Amino acid sequence: MAKRTRIIEGTWNCTSCDTKGIPARHKVCPSCGNPRELTGKESEFDFGGVDAKSGKSLREGVTDEPALELAAAGEDWFCAYCGASNRGDLPRCKQCNAERTDDAKAAVSRELPSPAEAPPAPPPKKGLGKKAWLALGLLFSCCFGTGVFGIWAGSTHEYPGSVTGTAWQRSVVRERFSPVVKTGWRDELSTTAPRMPVNGAGEVAGVANMRDCVSRQRGTRRVADGTERVCRTKTRKVACGTEEKCRRRDKGNGFVEEVCEDVTKYCSESYEDCQNETRYRTEPVYALQCAYDTYEWKEVDRRETSGTDDRPRWPELTASGVDRLRREEKYSVRIRYEDDGEKEHVLEPKSEQEFLTWKKGQGATLTVTNLGKVEQAVPR
Ligand SMILES: [Zn+2]
Ligand SMILES: [Zn+2]
């Protein structure tokens, strides 16, 4: 598409006599004769406003030959001796006749931001709205707050302690492989002969005499039940004519080159996206449930012993014939320590070996979190 180029002339303010809006073509103030310099923002030009949508300059373009020639002369340079601005193509300072040196500062030509790339800032509000504060508060308490609290709560201290007592409890249970009646799903059962244990092992529970089968609900399943038309409103971008877009380049000499072109414009359009989707319903699933004879281990006798501050022992109980023995053990160690007052921690060792590392009166080291949770206790 065709590009349209214009040259926009900027204006500057003289800091010597305070004349405002001097056209850029004047490198010397027409009122007081002061040359335009780099200092005092004299060489920061005002190019006027731009249209918010297209980025097109609201100022008229210049068309007269002298101005166009100045605009095309390249970036200005500032004399290292007198500070005056000079045309980019001049080898000597127009003001003091000094030669252009390497340390003469040059103005910089650059692309100016277009309003499309930098959308106008929303109107300033007086502080944050109520919702914004609420959101900030939530953010603080949920994310930041939890994090800090978590770190604090998780950090630990070590405390010395001493064992005030130990206790143990042991049981021996005699179990017998005994007949029972159970129910099960017909398709999960198959008739199997039971086998009695020998020395408390090798038994088979078996499934025998399946009977009294009745139909019962076992669960549910989802079944397809036709289709239904489901529509959702969606949006898409569609081309809808053209719009003018302009880019501006600061030529570094008080002029801006503006290039405008017509680009395809895209609009949001909403449409209905419809599809046939399978509809489902839930229906119950039935199956046959039956009673049957089988065997399982049942407790027929139990002996218990317990003690404090001594070595654990097993109670006396013997198995005979089809019986078997099962052993249960439970240990505890009470440890007293100081953490904002006197505290007691009860440790429950899992095995006799672990329990025997503890003795009444023995020292211990406890690792306690800031929340008062004992993470570890080891003998000392
Ligand atoms: Zn002046
Ligand atoms: Zn000079």
Side-chain angles (χ1 to χ4, degrees):
M1 290 184 207
K3 287 183 178 175
R4 298 175 292 279
T5 304
R6 294 194 304 161
I7 296 293
I8 309 294
E9 184 171 9
T11 58
W12 58 283
N13 301 329
C14 174
T15 54
S16 294
C17 70
D18 211 27
T19 299
K20 311 272 189 213
I22 306 163
R25 67 186 72 196
H26 299 293
K27 289 195 165 36
V28 170
C29 171
S31 301
C32 72
N34 162 56
R36 173 164 67 75
E37 292 169 4
L38 197 55
T39 53
K41 299 190 175 183
E42 272 185 347
S43 293
E44 286 177 22
F45 292 93
D46 173 18
F47 297 109
V50 292
D51 180 75
K53 240 176 135 199
S54 63
K56 186 174 186 153
S57 216
L58 298 175
R59 216 171 258 189
E60 282 292 320
V62 289
T63 47
D64 57 298
E65 204 50 50
L68 295 180
E69 202 215 340
L70 269 173
E75 296 160 354
D76 280 355
W77 57 275
F78 296 91
C79 174
Y81 298 96
C82 73
S85 62
N86 285 284
R87 281 176 60 132
D89 52 3
L90 278 186
R92 290 183 162 276
C93 175
K94 207 183 162 195
Q95 196 71 21
C96 72
N97 206 33
E99 224 171 299
R100 179 177 186 171
T101 50
D102 289 344
D103 57 348
K105 287 191 177 64
V108 184
S109 93
R110 63 195 171 95
E111 200 74 27
L112 291 173
S114 71
E117 286 155 18
K125 284 179 188 163
K126 283 179 201 159
L128 285 170
K130 219 179 201 174
K131 274 192 179 162
W133 278 118
L134 190 71
L136 261 181
L138 281 174
L139 186 76
F140 182 85
S141 57
C142 107
C143 308
F144 186 66
T146 309
V148 170
F149 178 76
I151 291 165
W152 174 83
S155 58
T156 57
H157 297 280
E158 289 198 342
Y159 293 105
S162 73
V163 177
T164 54
T166 65
W168 57 270
Q169 198 183 338
R170 280 181 166 184
S171 331
V172 175
V173 180
R174 190 164 73 215
E175 294 177 323
R176 185 163 298 161
F177 204 52
S178 320
V180 284
V181 175
K182 289 188 175 179
T183 57
W185 298 108
R186 177 69 188 84
D187 60 2
E188 288 174 356
L189 296 172
S190 66
T191 302
T192 323
R195 189 161 69 222
M196 291 303 108
V198 177
N199 297 324
E203 74 280 4
V204 173
V207 173
N209 192 20
M210 254 188 277
R211 61 196 181 272
D212 303 335
C213 297
V214 285
S215 179
R216 287 193 195 285
Q217 187 177 340
R218 194 179 191 173
T220 57
R221 68 174 162 214
R222 254 158 53 95
V223 289
D225 185 21
T227 60
E228 58 187 339
R229 191 144 181 85
V230 179
C231 294
R232 293 173 185 88
T233 304
K234 294 183 173 179
T235 59
R236 61 186 164 204
K237 296 260 180 232
V238 289
C240 54
T242 59
E243 60 183 340
E244 185 174 44
K245 286 284 170 203
C246 302
R247 295 187 314 274
R248 298 188 309 153
R249 185 165 186 85
D250 182 338
K251 296 180 76 69
N253 53 19
F255 293 88
V256 153
E257 186 185 72
E258 178 193 77
V259 178
C260 296
E261 58 188 325
D262 294 325
V263 295
T264 308
K265 186 180 170 185
Y266 290 92
C267 303
S268 259
E269 179 190 83
S270 68
Y271 68 101
E272 291 285 289
D273 181 39
C274 298
Q275 266 158 331
N276 286 329
E277 292 182 1
T278 309
R279 192 165 49 201
Y280 292 93
R281 65 184 158 82
T282 305
E283 65 176 29
V285 176
Y286 293 93
L288 280 180
Q289 199 177 55
C290 310
Y292 64 97
D293 294 333
T294 185
Y295 285 81
E296 71 180 13
W297 289 104
K298 277 193 172 170
E299 182 177 320
V300 289
D301 200 0
R302 171 185 283 265
R303 296 285 158 81
E304 290 183 352
T305 345
S306 60
T308 50
D309 308 327
D310 60 351
R311 226 185 149 81
R313 301 177 303 277
W314 287 108
E316 292 285 332
L317 190 65
T318 49
S320 59
V322 293
D323 295 350
R324 72 175 183 188
L325 295 179
R326 190 164 50 78
R327 294 169 190 272
E328 293 169 0
E329 54 200 316
K330 208 178 151 190
Y331 305 103
S332 65
V333 177
R334 293 196 317 279
I335 306 168
R336 196 171 55 201
Y337 65 101
E338 294 278 331
D339 174 13
D340 270 350
E342 197 167 285
K343 298 272 169 67
E344 188 184 68
H345 174 63
V346 179
L347 186 74
E348 293 189 342
K350 295 282 171 288
S351 66
E352 176 178 2
Q353 193 191 12
E354 192 190 334
F355 176 69
L356 288 176
T357 61
W358 297 97
K359 295 266 180 317
K360 184 181 181 178
Q362 185 185 347
T365 302
L366 293 98
T367 308
V368 186
T369 69
N370 277 335
L371 285 180
K373 186 175 177 281
V374 176
E375 290 207 324
Q376 199 188 29
V378 290
R380 187 159 49 90

